[in-house]
Amino acid sequence: MVSHSSEGPHGASGPGSASSAGALPRSALLALWLRASRLGDDDGLARMLRAVQRDDEPHVVSGALGDVRLEDLAGAWAGDTREVVALAPAPGDVTGVPPEAAARATDAGECVVVTASSGSWALVPEVTEFGSDLEPGHLVTWHVTAVGPWSTRVLGALGSLAEAERDLRTALLLATRALDELDVARWRDDAAGAIADLRAGGAPAWQLPSSVAPRAVQVLTQAVRLRAIVDLATADDGGSVNLWQADQRSTALREVDRASRHAVGAATLWIASS
């Protein structure tokens, strides 16, 4: 569910903060805004930059399209994006990622693949942290690589949004069972509150274009929350009695993560009608 908070990206860390657990990935936000039909109208470009950059320093772009600001590249693509998707690869599972960008995208854990009139491109964010725990900062460089035609392969690999939604329901059951068995609230004082926040949280409305279908937003936000819960649950073996139990739980949580990562792609994939 999307929160209707009107607050911007600054202030206390929350779902709109680039550094908070359960925040929407930069790549997913960029993909959603590039597909927005009125990106170039009114203050659309400014809203996109505010949503994608959040509390980061202004993003820059490097690679096949030269060294420019993200603002410049997004402005050039406004109204010209024909296909776009955000993908969340992991070691051993680079489903849908063009091979030209697979290594870098896997290291980053995310990428955007875009087709415009100028060609097809993969954008992978490199995030450098600076500052302190109290005042963290992020420098973000999007590395651009030219890629071949990709949308047919991605569509076949990820399936439909309805399929992703069904897989997420199954994954949620697995995650809930694994968390109950791990009894994280018992062995980590901060876990119960963190999990409750992740289960109830959502993307603030200012981050999302109004043209994105509510069903896609729901699938995306649920997928991101599940991934954050998996990260929390796999930080420790918790209440595992033996190695076999720990391995069974780890296997279940890996499946939850796989379904969640694929759902990010299904929720952000957009192909313009011809």
Side-chain angles (χ1 to χ4, degrees):
M1 179 177 295
V2 180
S3 166
H4 293 284
S5 170
S6 60
E7 295 181 2
H10 303 291
S13 180
S17 170
S19 56
S20 63
L24 293 185
R26 296 170 176 87
S27 56
L29 288 166
L30 181 57
L32 291 178
W33 280 96
L34 287 176
R35 70 183 271 187
S37 60
R38 296 179 61 83
L39 177 61
D41 295 344
D42 301 321
D43 64 343
L45 180 59
R47 290 184 62 215
M48 186 217 75
L49 293 170
R50 178 171 169 249
V52 175
Q53 294 177 164
R54 292 170 288 192
D55 51 6
D56 300 335
E57 295 297 306
H59 293 192
V60 297
V61 175
S62 181
L65 295 174
D67 296 332
V68 297
R69 299 176 301 172
L70 178 63
E71 178 179 2
D72 299 325
L73 182 59
W77 281 344
D80 187 41
T81 299
R82 302 175 180 180
E83 303 170 338
V84 65
V85 71
L87 299 169
D93 180 14
V94 294
T95 300
V97 180
E100 301 92 332
R104 191 186 289 273
T106 302
D107 288 342
E110 60 177 306
C111 70
V112 180
V113 191
V114 183
T115 296
S117 60
S118 58
S120 293
W121 316 93
L123 289 76
V124 180
E126 178 184 359
V127 182
T128 302
E129 296 184 0
F130 68 92
S132 66
D133 290 341
L134 294 178
E135 295 186 9
H138 301 85
L139 299 172
V140 180
T141 299
W142 294 86
H143 295 278
V144 180
T145 303
V147 300
W150 56 269
S151 58
T152 301
R153 181 178 66 251
V154 169
L155 185 60
L158 295 179
S160 68
L161 187 62
E163 290 169 330
E165 196 171 30
R166 182 192 63 217
D167 289 345
L168 280 181
R169 284 196 295 267
T170 302
L172 181 59
L173 292 175
L174 285 172
T176 300
R177 185 181 308 145
L179 289 170
D180 288 343
E181 291 175 355
L182 281 167
D183 194 14
V184 290
R186 179 177 61 81
W187 53 268
R188 284 185 58 180
D189 292 338
D190 63 330
I195 290 172
D197 289 344
L198 287 168
R199 282 172 168 164
W206 61 264
Q207 281 191 303
L208 301 167
S210 59
S211 59
V212 179
R215 187 179 191 184
V217 173
Q218 182 177 358
V219 169
L220 175 61
T221 53
Q222 185 179 34
V224 172
R225 287 200 301 271
L226 278 174
R227 292 203 71 196
I229 290 172
V230 168
D231 287 342
L232 184 64
T234 54
D236 196 304
D237 284 336
S240 296
V241 175
N242 54 49
L243 290 176
W244 179 86
Q245 231 179 18
D247 182 66
Q248 292 297 303
R249 291 165 182 164
S250 178
T251 299
L253 290 172
R254 279 197 302 270
E255 177 58 25
V256 172
D257 189 62
R258 184 202 64 80
S260 300
R261 288 186 293 100
H262 290 192
V264 169
T268 57
L269 176 62
W270 179 77
I271 301 172
S273 56
S274 55

